[in-house]
Amino acid sequence: MVVTTTVSDADEHLHCTFASRYARTSLPRFKMPEGSMPKEAAYQIVNDELMLDGNPRLNLASFVTTWMEPECDKLIMDSINKNYVDMDEYPVTTELQNRCVNMIAHLFHAPVGDDETAIGVGTVGSSEAIMLAGLAFKRKWEAKRKAQGKPYDKPNIVTGANVQVCWEKFARYFEVELKEVKLKEGYYVMDPVKAVEMVDENTICVAAILGSTLTGEFEDVKHLSELLTEKNKTTGWDTPIHVDAASGGFIAPFLFPELEWDFRLPLVKSINVSGHKYGLVYAGVGWVIWRSKEDLPEELVFHINYLGSDQPTFTLNFSKGSSQIIAQYYQFIRLGFEGYKSIMENCMENARLLREEIAKTGKFEIVSKDVGVPLVAFALKDGSRYTVFQISESLRRFGWIVPAYTMPPDAEHIAVLRVVIREDFSHSLAERFVSNIQKVLKELDELPPRVSTKAAHVTAVTDETQKDNADQPHLKKSAMETQKEIFNYWRRISDKKTSGVC
Amino acid sequence: MVLSKTTSQLDESVHSTFASRYVRHSLPRFTMPENSIPKEAAFQIINDELMLDGNPRLNLASFVTTWMEPECDKLIMDSINKNYVDMDEYPVTTELQNRCVNIIAHLFNAPLGDGEAAVGVGTVGSSEAIMLAGLAFKRKWQNKMKAKGKPYDKPNIVTGANVQVCWEKFARYFEVELKEVKLREGYYVMDPEKAVEMVDENTICVAAILGSTLNGEFEDVKRLNELLTEKNKTTGWDTSIHVDAASGGFIAPFIYPELEWDFRLPLVKSINVSGHKYGLVYAGIGWAIWRSKEDLPEELIFHINYLGTDQPTFTLNFSKGSSQVIAQYYQLIRLGHEGYKCIMENCQENAKVLKEGLEKTKRFNIVSKENGVPLVAFSLKDNSSHTEFEVSELLRRFGWIVPAYTMPPNAEHVTVLRVVIREDFSRTLAERLVSDIEKVLQELDNLPSRVRMKLAGSEETAGKHDDVVKKTINDVQKEITATWRKFAADRKKTKGVC
């Protein structure tokens, strides 16, 4: 267990870590070091470097959970050495996964009978879940086309341009064409009418998002379902729907229970949700649920025959930790329906507070909607003096990480700041954040605007030369061109961040 | 943060957990419960159910690490809330990943100049790493065939039948045909000659395994490279090699440094290794390394533009925990070359102790080789009265989990027991296992054989009618053998656990 020859120096263990020679040497970055070092030194070095990472709880960019109760932390640490895939060795952990799948399936109104088990699986995140769901659709569509004797080499999928990057990955890696419905200013989700228009006989499914990454909006899945049902009647193509409920799946059932977006709509065949977003678990768990057995082609499922039990598996990853699955089950039984509802209501309340305070500054336009994921996305009313990218940079000084993004096509001229309200973003933190934003605005107001100064310089030059009366139209063009150059230069520097962080 | 209305009854917080009403109710299994329960109760209930899981450290089936130093546990817990994919928010964590990639690439002798960054990525395990590597090969091959104006709709990959299940997954999910070189009794890895024979113009790559799951053997990658180079000269197909070094990648460089299996062989274009096996990290981390930029088609890489930095990413998973990457870096700098070497040597030594202990019982054939992953695979010399599956069952009573497997085609009649020697399997545990196995053998010897009893019964009734009876005995014997074979087959665990 403990390596016997780690200590090369006889009296090394006497030195406190920072007195030892390890604090003096630079660690190799490209090659493995030749000798071992004491574990205290290794711990200290790694720990100290990591101090320069951002503070996860002040990372307002991410939907992913950053705080859990200490009891759950203990469960996580106790199961950190359990390899989740060893179903035979860890039957209880496997059963906990199955219980979670059933609970989530029922939450989404899957048409399962009382004793029937739901069809679904735990994944590492929504990316894996989406790839599995997409694979199922692709395989079903191929089988249908083969039976009809039609070509099956050009599958496509219809989504909005606001999709998270994992859909693009799915399309590229599994060789499916991505047909994106473009956005427009003021409408930042997929338009159901346009989506249904784009559906053709090669469409394997239409993917709707419940909780768009950019503005937190819920797409109108019900309307999509109605339009698609009509089209299916005329064409006979039987195109299904997948709902990417990565964020919204654990919000809508508690806050908006009458909103029909899940298996209550007959065309919805699979849903994915991130356990590590509003499922309130640390990063590393997602869930995909199918409506029924028919929606998951048997050929994709691998059967591993263990002593006595047959366990079907359908995941991309094999060995992985069990901790997050156990943590998800903990949250389900610890909080229950009532608990999740209370937490979501708190988040909405804090989002509302933040939204009101930000609107009060008078400088921002609120881009996010009231109904949706609890987040606040806001754009500058007047972006000529300074940009949202500068605000984002300045907020970093206070410790806040607030990302600034430009929208995807066709609304790339809109840039927003986005604050995600997670469970652990309390009222007091919201107030502090608002006061910091006000400070930042004040500072930026007092700074001479970077663009205007340069433009002023340019006009000065042209004024002087104008007195010479030489080449007037030429000079005017120069000023314009230079201004354009400057705009472009600054836009390039404040690099875009469209679909990076989920 | 803390819910304000968790306790529905005022005096609830007074009860100790086992006095409260929560241990009296059965938890719902299919629907989410309506109400919340106190966190102590939730913890206790789950903790208690989990007591009935196997003990990870006594799970001798798995290669995956089950023990790390407490200092590392602390680092893991501190970073459990960091979402690894937030490269901009956690630049140090991202840099630690890059350092690990570079260190491992150098360990595998990737042809990199000084200061040149290696091409590779951290994954959730070897499954994801293999899928990424396979995708890269598939795309490169498709581009090559398109450029030649040839059809590119039927790609295939050549491997041995001893491959781990993730290769079958890759083949099925990414629509690549899997051409398997069958095994035979006594030869349980991929035969390089047969493999090269199977290569055709649609082969995207040949996958060799360093550390076969079943018996820990290293495949002869060097020979494969030589044969394939010759074939490539005549055909011009330029078929390359991928080495699945899931287990062997962190063993060979320390114990067999002269063994040429990695990027020293020119046809090897990518390698995967599991950080959570002999990389000595808990489950949840693997690494995929490419020889050079040319071996990873640019079109597969997504560029995420963050403020100021461009980070290329090529993974199937997006959000995931950072803990294992940090733990891997900790191990690499904490142990260094010397540390890993010592641990691997200890593992080999303990494997030897176990092997010799088993040989002394004179009841077992050792199926695993000396050179390879430190594990001992053994089968009963005489399995007519009792099978390896029974040995495995009885060992469970002592707490040991030792799996019994049948070999893949064409050696399905061979059944083995396998014990993997991990870092935390000390010599004392090895000696205890041997003595427990001896106890089990003694018990089995005293038990009447289940197969023999049935045969004896049928002999008595058959004595009366000769001809018909003879057929009947044969038939009955066949039936019984068939039933037991089916029973054993139903319980077989060929490629389940890696």
Side-chain angles (χ1 to χ4, degrees), chain B residues 158-303:
Chain B
V158 174
T159 66
N162 55 328
V163 280
Q164 206 255 5
V165 69
C166 69
W167 283 100
E168 294 173 49
K169 278 187 182 179
F170 165 71
R172 209 181 286 185
Y173 297 165
F174 291 87
E175 286 154 13
V176 174
E177 186 198 340
L178 197 67
K179 293 176 85 167
E180 286 187 342
V181 178
K182 298 271 176 264
L183 314 179
R184 57 179 187 275
E185 182 165 353
Y187 195 90
Y188 302 117
V189 289
M190 178 172 78
D191 187 338
E193 261 111 16
K194 296 219 180 97
V196 174
E197 264 172 59
M198 281 180 135
V199 167
D200 59 33
E201 64 170 343
N202 289 325
T203 304
I204 65 175
C205 81
V206 181
I209 302 183
L210 198 78
S212 171
T213 312
L214 301 163
N215 63 355
E217 221 177 307
F218 289 168
E219 288 183 357
D220 196 343
V221 192
K222 186 168 185 188
R223 179 121 178 84
L224 175 66
N225 185 73
E226 287 163 7
L227 295 171
L228 195 53
T229 311
E230 271 180 54
K231 181 156 183 172
N232 281 341
K233 277 201 198 114
T234 43
T235 60
W237 291 335
D238 210 17
T239 321
S240 29
I241 298 175
H242 172 88
V243 182
D244 175 0
S247 314
F250 272 109
I251 297 174
F254 304 109
I255 319 191
Y256 312 108
E258 315 77 32
L259 182 73
E260 284 179 38
W261 64 274
D262 52 14
F263 292 120
R264 281 168 285 182
L265 304 169
L267 283 185
V268 173
K269 305 296 183 192
S270 50
I271 301 176
N272 69 279
V273 65
S274 282
H276 55 225
K277 290 183 185 134
Y278 289 93
L280 306 176
V281 182
Y282 293 128
I285 178 127
W287 302 95
I289 313 283
W290 282 271
R291 189 188 195 85
S292 66
K293 286 188 105 184
E294 286 71 51
D295 298 298
L296 182 52
E298 186 62 31
E299 66 212 61
L300 291 174
I301 302 178
F302 280 83
H303 288 267

Side-chain angles (χ1 to χ4, degrees), chain A residues 70-315:
Chain A
E71 283 74 8
C72 194
D73 282 352
K74 188 168 189 316
L75 279 174
I76 286 175
M77 215 47 220
D78 289 344
S79 59
I80 199 100
N81 63 353
K82 278 192 191 167
N83 183 0
Y84 165 70
V85 79
D86 282 346
M87 295 180 220
D88 192 54
E89 280 72 32
Y90 312 122
V92 179
T93 305
T94 306
E95 198 189 320
L96 294 190
Q97 189 233 205
N98 293 342
R99 288 186 204 171
C100 288
V101 167
N102 281 300
M103 288 187 184
I104 296 174
H106 276 96
L107 196 65
F108 295 166
H109 302 96
V112 271
D114 273 337
D115 277 331
E116 217 180 306
T117 44
I119 310 285
V121 76
T123 62
V124 165
S126 274
S127 290
E128 186 186 355
I130 280 167
M131 291 187 187
L132 295 176
L135 247 184
F137 280 120
K138 185 179 180 205
R139 210 43 75 86
K140 264 205 108 178
W141 173 83
E142 277 174 4
K144 184 178 75 177
R145 299 284 283 178
K146 272 191 218 172
Q148 290 174 340
K150 294 193 176 174
Y152 52 93
D153 56 328
K154 290 195 185 326
N156 68 57
I157 191 168
V158 174
T159 67
N162 55 328
V163 279
Q164 206 254 8
V165 68
C166 69
W167 283 99
E168 296 172 48
K169 278 188 182 177
F170 166 70
R172 208 180 286 185
Y173 296 165
F174 291 87
E175 287 155 13
V176 174
E177 185 198 343
L178 197 67
K179 294 175 86 169
E180 287 186 343
V181 178
K182 300 270 177 267
L183 314 178
K184 53 183 191 278
E185 182 168 349
Y187 195 90
Y188 301 117
V189 289
M190 178 173 79
D191 184 342
V193 176
K194 292 214 182 102
V196 173
E197 265 172 51
M198 279 181 135
V199 168
D200 60 32
E201 59 172 344
N202 289 322
T203 304
I204 65 174
C205 81
V206 181
I209 303 182
L210 196 80
S212 169
T213 313
L214 302 163
T215 55
E217 229 177 299
F218 290 168
E219 289 182 357
D220 195 345
V221 192
K222 186 166 185 192
H223 193 42
L224 175 67
S225 180
E226 288 164 2
L227 294 172
L228 195 54
T229 312
E230 271 182 55
K231 181 158 183 170
N232 281 343
K233 278 203 199 114
T234 44
T235 59
W237 290 336
D238 212 16
T239 321
I241 296 176
H242 172 88
V243 182
D244 175 1
S247 313
F250 276 112
I251 297 173
F254 306 108
L255 292 179
F256 312 109
E258 317 77 31
L259 181 73
E260 281 179 41
W261 64 273
D262 52 15
F263 292 120
R264 282 170 283 182
L265 303 171
L267 282 184
V268 174
K269 304 297 183 193
S270 51
I271 300 176
N272 69 281
V273 65
S274 283
H276 54 226
K277 292 183 184 137
Y278 290 93
L280 306 175
V281 182
Y282 294 127
V285 64
W287 302 95
V288 56
I289 314 283
W290 282 273
R291 188 189 195 82
S292 65
K293 283 190 110 181
E294 286 72 48
D295 299 297
L296 180 53
E298 186 61 28
E299 70 211 54
L300 291 173
V301 181
F302 280 83
H303 287 266
I304 299 183
N305 294 316
Y306 284 73
L307 291 146
S309 58
D310 166 57
Q311 267 278 3
T313 82
F314 177 41
T315 53

Side-chain angles (χ1 to χ4, degrees), chain A residues 1 5-6 27 29-37 39 42-43 46 49-50 53-54 56 59 64 66 69 71 73 75 77 80-83 86 88-93 95 99 102-103 106 124 127-128 131 135 138-139 142 164-165 168-169 172-175 276 282-283 299-300 302 304-306 314-321 326 329-330 332-339 342-343 396 401 496-497 500-502, chain B residues 3 5-6 27-37 39 42-43 46 49-50 53-54 56 59 64 66 69 71 73-75 77 80-83 86 88-93 95 99 102-103 106 124 127-128 131 135 138-139 142 164-165 169 172-175 276 282-283 299-302 304-306 314-321 326 329-330 332-339 342 396 401 492-493 496-498:
Chain A
M1 270 198 275
T5 56
T6 32
L27 281 177
R29 286 139 201 270
F30 290 98
K31 298 215 173 95
M32 195 182 274
E34 206 34 61
S36 315
M37 68 164 75
K39 46 197 177 107
Y43 167 78
V46 177
E49 277 215 77
L50 288 173
D53 264 347
N59 175 7
V64 175
T66 46
E69 287 173 325
E71 283 74 8
D73 282 352
L75 279 174
M77 215 47 220
I80 199 100
N81 63 353
K82 278 192 191 167
N83 183 0
D86 282 346
D88 192 54
E89 280 72 32
Y90 312 122
V92 179
T93 305
E95 198 189 320
R99 288 186 204 171
N102 281 300
M103 288 187 184
H106 276 96
V124 165
S127 290
E128 186 186 355
M131 291 187 187
L135 247 184
K138 185 179 180 205
R139 210 43 75 86
E142 277 174 4
Q164 206 254 8
V165 68
E168 296 172 48
K169 278 188 182 177
R172 208 180 286 185
Y173 296 165
F174 291 87
E175 287 155 13
H276 54 226
Y282 294 127
E299 70 211 54
L300 291 173
F302 280 83
I304 299 183
N305 294 316
Y306 284 73
F314 177 41
T315 53
L316 295 179
N317 298 296
F318 196 66
S319 291
K320 62 190 180 200
I326 293 173
Y329 185 69
Y330 172 92
F332 283 159
I333 67 165
R334 158 39 173 161
L335 296 170
F337 198 93
E338 145 190 60
S342 299
I343 290 176
R396 278 237 192 196
I401 299 171
K496 293 182 256 207
K497 186 189 203 177
V501 184
C502 51
Chain B
L3 285 183
K5 38 177 200 153
T6 34
L27 282 177
R29 285 143 201 267
F30 290 100
T31 47
M32 199 183 272
E34 204 37 57
N35 299 317
S36 318
I37 62 177
K39 48 199 173 100
F43 169 79
I46 295 180
E49 275 214 78
L50 288 173
D53 265 346
N59 176 7
V64 178
T66 46
E69 287 173 326
E71 282 74 6
D73 282 351
K74 189 167 188 318
L75 280 174
M77 217 43 222
I80 199 101
N81 62 352
K82 277 191 195 173
N83 183 1
D86 281 346
D88 191 56
E89 281 71 32
Y90 312 122
V92 179
T93 305
E95 198 190 321
R99 287 187 205 169
N102 280 298
I103 290 176
H106 276 97
V124 164
S127 289
E128 187 186 356
M131 292 189 187
L135 247 183
K138 185 181 180 199
R139 202 48 70 87
Q142 279 175 335
Q164 206 255 5
V165 69
K169 278 187 182 179
R172 209 181 286 185
Y173 297 165
F174 291 87
E175 286 154 13
H276 55 225
Y282 293 128
E299 66 212 61
L300 291 174
I301 302 178
F302 280 83
I304 300 186
N305 294 315
Y306 284 75
F314 177 42
T315 53
L316 296 178
N317 297 296
F318 195 66
S319 291
K320 63 192 181 202
I326 292 171
Y329 185 69
Y330 172 91
L332 291 172
I333 66 166
R334 167 4 178 191
L335 297 169
H337 203 278
E338 147 191 52
C342 289
R396 277 239 191 195
I401 298 172
K492 79 180 163 197
K493 187 190 202 174
V497 184
C498 51

Side-chain angles (χ1 to χ4, degrees), chain B residues 5-43:
Chain B
K5 38 177 200 153
T6 34
T7 44
S8 333
Q9 282 166 284
L10 285 172
D11 60 345
E12 221 155 66
S13 50
V14 170
H15 292 162
S16 91
T17 304
F18 287 109
S20 76
R21 56 186 179 80
Y22 298 106
V23 293
R24 234 182 294 149
H25 296 176
S26 137
L27 282 177
R29 285 143 201 267
F30 290 100
T31 47
M32 199 183 272
E34 204 37 57
N35 299 317
S36 318
I37 62 177
K39 48 199 173 100
E40 297 81 9
F43 169 79

Side-chain angles (χ1 to χ4, degrees), chain B residues 21 87 94 133 170 200 210 311 391 404 416 434 446 461 491 496:
Chain B
R21 56 186 179 80
M87 297 181 219
T94 306
F170 165 71
D200 59 33
L210 198 78
Q311 267 277 4
V391 174
V416 295
V434 172
N446 294 334
T461 47
R491 288 144 58 103

